[in-house]
């Protein structure tokens, strides 16, 4: 669906406020709401305002004498943008206040000028006192909802604060080098010649991290499929799947197709079926494969409906990148802190369990299923695999380098990677 709320000619603060209203008050994902917003400033205002949603909300509770009506939440979101610019972007005070007030023209709410001006100026006058006040609240101090602070603290008592801190950082831009074109070192040389500074990520043979993000079209050979943008932890999935030439492979929940492309790069003559239940997101898979000049059968399907997409087909390798809480990728998707609910976890656990059971039936004896999530919650990871092993006596967990139990849990920021979990299961 096209985003009609965003106007390319509008003040970027106006566009950001409209997008934030859709995410915070209408439950839309940030990636969907941003579809038509190509301007870097709009994206930055939205990502930043959602990254620091909790402290900004705490400030608004102190600064607004009463809650704005539902139809005027776009004004509240504009104030969030103004506060974000003052506090986190260090925009000069007069510019932040003036531009935020001017942005009301795009919202067609001139009555709010006095309110917006007063709220921002009150913050500037009282900022030390206000900041000291909100820092007493854990949600504002850690910029996380309370239920998620409690959950992470309970599951990871030794490093919960580091997890929260890393989840609030900006994620780096990481590349996956297509080793069929050249070695990683050769591509590093190309980047150097293009005056793009980068470094390798140890432990992931295809990964390079850029010192600063850049436009993908500025990357040497991007258009020709020499390189893709993909987090280093996500790259581990294809490496751990360990495909050999000629295998039949299922990539379940494949969109947007980064892992599908990497699987096809990893061996020759693979017969790959890539499925996802979102037709619109599957278009990204096809686009990625077209750029990489690779082929897979791309099918819109529910992973549980194996008869539809894999009747009479058995697989040597199955990648189940399961739907999850996405608590390991909050640094890339800060809207998760706003949209995710505590009750979601049980529903996701049940879906993951059903998917594991359904796909296990389609794995050949001697084949390998790689279960992965971008979650840091044991209920979706280690405990999910424990329960699976209890149900399936043929299942044998294979060792993974760096595994702390049945699988490997990568935490956000660890070796500059996103938070991911991997378990490698063989049908014996």
């Amino acid at each position: 669906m096209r985003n009609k709320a965003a106007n390319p000619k509008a003040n970027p603060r106006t566009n950001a406020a409209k997008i934030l209203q859709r995410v915070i008050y209408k439950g839309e994902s940030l990636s969907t709401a941003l579809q038509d917003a190509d301007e870097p400033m709009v994206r930055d205002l939205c990502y930043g305002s959602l990254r620091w949603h909790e402290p900004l909300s705490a400030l608004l509770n102190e600064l607004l004498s009463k809650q704005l009506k539902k139809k005027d939440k776009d004004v509240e979101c504009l104030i969030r943008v103004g506060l974000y610019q003052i506090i986190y972007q260090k925009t000069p005070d007069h510019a932040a206040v003036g531009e935020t007030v001017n942005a009301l023209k795009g919202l067609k709410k001139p009555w709010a000028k006095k309110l917006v001006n007063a709220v921002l100026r009150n913050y500037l006058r009282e900022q030390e006192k206000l900041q000291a006040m909100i820092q007493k609240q854990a949600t504002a101090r850690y910029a996380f909802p309370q239920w998620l602070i409690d959950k992470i603290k309970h599951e990871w008592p030794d490093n919960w604060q580091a997890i929260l801190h890393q989840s609030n950082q900006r994620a780096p831009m990481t590349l996956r080098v297509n080793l069929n074109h050249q070695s990683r070192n050769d591509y590093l040389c190309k980047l150097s010649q293009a005056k793009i500074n980068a470094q390798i990520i140890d432990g992931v043979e295809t990964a390079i991290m850029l010192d600063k993000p850049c436009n993908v079209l500025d990357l040497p050979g991007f258009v020709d499929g020499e390189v893709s943008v993909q987090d280093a932890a996500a790259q581990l999935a294809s490496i751990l799947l360990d495909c050999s030439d000629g295998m039949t492979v299922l990539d379940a929940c494949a969109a947007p197709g980064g892992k599908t492309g990497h699987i096809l790069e990893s061996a020759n003559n693979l017969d790959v079926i890539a499925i996802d239940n979102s037709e619109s997101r599957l278009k990204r898979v096809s686009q990625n494969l077209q750029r990489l000049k690779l082929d897979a059968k791309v099918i819109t399907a529910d992973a549980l409906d194996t008869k539809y997409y894999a009747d009479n087909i058995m697989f040597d390798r199955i990648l189940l990148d399961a739907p999850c809480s996405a608590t390991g990728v909050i640094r890339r998707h800060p809207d998760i802190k706003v949209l995710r609910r505590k009750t979601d976890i049980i529903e996701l656990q049940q879906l993951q369990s059903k998917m594991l059971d359904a796909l296990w039936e389609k794995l050949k004896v001697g084949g390998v299923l790689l279960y992965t999530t971008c979650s840091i919650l044991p209920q979706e990871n280690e405990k999910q695999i424990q329960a699976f092993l209890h149900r399936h006596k043929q299942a044998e967990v294979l060792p993974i380098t760096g595994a702390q139990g049945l699988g490997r849990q990568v935490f956000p920021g660890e070796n500059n990677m996103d938070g991911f979990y991997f378990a490698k299961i063989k049908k014996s």
Side-chain angles (χ1 to χ4, degrees):
M1 186 175 73
R2 301 298 283 171
N3 174 4
K4 293 177 183 176
N7 175 1
K9 295 179 182 175
N11 184 320
R13 294 163 188 82
T14 306
N15 276 343
K18 289 178 178 179
I19 289 166
L20 288 171
Q21 183 186 25
R22 289 166 64 186
V23 175
I24 298 168
Y25 292 107
K26 297 181 182 177
E28 204 169 318
S29 77
L30 181 58
S31 58
T32 302
L34 272 172
Q35 274 177 357
D36 280 1
D38 294 329
E39 192 176 346
M41 184 175 178
V42 174
R43 299 178 72 84
D44 188 55
L45 291 173
C46 291
Y47 272 87
S49 297
L50 289 167
R51 185 173 288 117
W52 305 112
H53 174 78
E54 293 292 343
L56 292 175
S57 294
L59 285 171
L60 282 168
N61 284 338
E62 299 297 331
L63 289 163
L64 290 172
S65 56
K66 62 178 182 179
Q67 292 289 315
L68 288 164
K69 294 175 183 173
K70 191 175 181 180
K71 65 185 176 68
D72 296 322
K73 289 298 187 183
D74 52 352
V75 175
E76 182 206 282
C77 289
L78 183 61
I79 298 172
R80 289 175 182 275
V81 168
L83 289 170
Y84 168 68
Q85 289 206 281
I86 292 167
I87 301 165
Y88 299 101
Q89 288 193 321
K90 309 297 183 192
T91 304
D93 297 347
H94 65 281
V97 174
E99 289 297 333
T100 305
V101 171
N102 285 340
L104 282 164
K105 291 176 190 170
L107 298 182
K108 296 179 181 170
K109 294 187 177 174
W111 60 264
K113 282 186 178 180
K114 283 185 180 177
L115 172 69
V116 173
N117 189 56
V119 168
L120 295 179
R121 292 196 181 281
N122 281 349
Y123 173 75
L124 289 169
R125 275 194 299 273
E126 304 284 340
Q127 55 187 305
E128 285 187 25
K129 176 183 162 189
L130 285 164
Q131 287 291 350
M133 197 180 296
I134 69 164
Q135 286 302 306
K136 293 173 185 173
Q137 304 170 32
T139 52
R141 197 161 62 248
Y142 295 111
F144 261 71
Q146 190 64 53
W147 75 269
L148 198 44
I149 294 174
D150 294 342
K151 196 154 193 62
I152 293 171
K153 191 175 183 178
H154 177 263
E155 300 296 356
W156 307 108
D158 295 334
N159 58 335
W160 66 274
Q161 287 170 302
I163 292 170
L164 299 183
H165 173 74
Q166 286 296 332
S167 296
N168 285 330
Q169 306 309 304
R170 290 174 182 245
M173 185 170 175
T174 306
L175 309 180
R176 182 187 81 237
V177 178
N178 185 341
L179 300 181
N180 296 318
H181 284 261
Q182 72 237 297
S183 71
R184 180 167 61 171
N185 284 339
D186 286 344
Y187 192 77
L188 268 176
C189 292
K190 284 189 179 180
L191 287 175
S192 179
Q193 288 162 7
K195 298 194 165 38
I196 297 173
N197 295 325
Q199 54 194 292
I200 65 168
I201 293 183
D202 290 328
V204 187
E205 64 202 29
T206 47
I208 288 176
M209 185 180 71
L210 302 187
D211 289 2
K212 287 194 292 190
C214 71
N215 189 308
V216 290
L217 297 177
D218 293 334
L219 295 170
F222 178 81
V223 174
D224 298 318
E226 292 184 22
V227 69
S228 299
V229 178
Q230 189 181 34
D231 180 77
Q235 294 180 43
L236 280 173
S238 175
I239 293 168
L240 290 170
L241 200 60
D242 192 23
C243 295
S244 299
D245 293 354
M247 282 185 169
T248 303
V249 183
L250 174 65
D251 184 4
C253 315
K259 297 180 184 73
T260 317
H262 196 190
I263 288 167
L264 286 159
E265 289 170 4
S266 70
N268 297 316
N269 303 316
L270 294 178
D271 184 6
V272 175
I273 295 177
I275 64 164
D276 200 276
N277 64 2
S278 167
E279 190 172 356
S280 59
R281 278 169 51 81
L282 269 180
K283 286 176 185 169
R284 291 273 308 279
V285 179
S286 298
Q287 289 165 359
N288 275 324
L289 295 181
Q290 192 174 2
R291 180 180 63 83
L292 295 168
K293 299 175 181 62
L294 296 168
D295 290 312
K297 294 186 190 79
V298 179
I299 302 171
T300 306
D302 183 331
L304 296 174
D305 190 5
T306 56
K307 274 199 167 182
Y308 174 70
Y309 61 85
D311 198 21
N312 298 320
I313 301 173
M314 297 293 284
F315 297 96
D316 300 288
R317 294 285 186 272
I318 295 176
L319 171 61
L320 174 53
D321 186 10
C324 70
S325 62
T327 43
V329 291
I330 286 171
R331 61 184 195 160
R332 289 191 195 278
H333 303 283
D335 53 325
I336 291 163
K337 292 194 274 190
V338 177
L339 300 175
R340 184 67 66 230
R341 297 286 176 268
K342 187 177 184 178
T343 50
D344 296 342
I345 309 302
I346 293 171
E347 291 176 18
L348 286 163
Q349 270 183 281
Q350 291 168 346
L351 177 59
Q352 292 153 4
S353 180
K354 287 178 184 174
M355 284 184 163
L356 275 165
D357 289 348
L359 297 179
W360 185 248
E361 298 302 316
K362 302 305 296 179
L363 187 67
K364 293 178 183 176
V365 172
V368 171
L369 184 151
L370 184 72
Y371 175 78
T372 179
T373 72
C374 53
S375 168
I376 55 167
L377 303 179
Q379 294 96 316
E380 301 179 272
N381 298 337
E382 186 87 358
K383 290 176 183 176
Q384 185 68 264
I385 298 304
Q386 283 174 348
F388 176 78
L389 294 175
H390 187 71
R391 294 193 303 274
H392 298 278
K393 302 307 178 189
Q394 277 182 289
E396 173 195 351
V397 172
L398 298 178
I400 295 176
T401 303
Q404 302 93 344
L406 293 173
R408 179 178 176 185
Q409 178 68 68
V410 179
F411 292 108
E414 182 184 325
N415 201 16
N416 295 301
M417 296 192 283
D418 286 343
F420 262 81
Y421 176 81
F422 304 95
K424 191 171 179 176
I425 311 165
K426 183 178 180 179
K427 185 180 274 190
S428 59

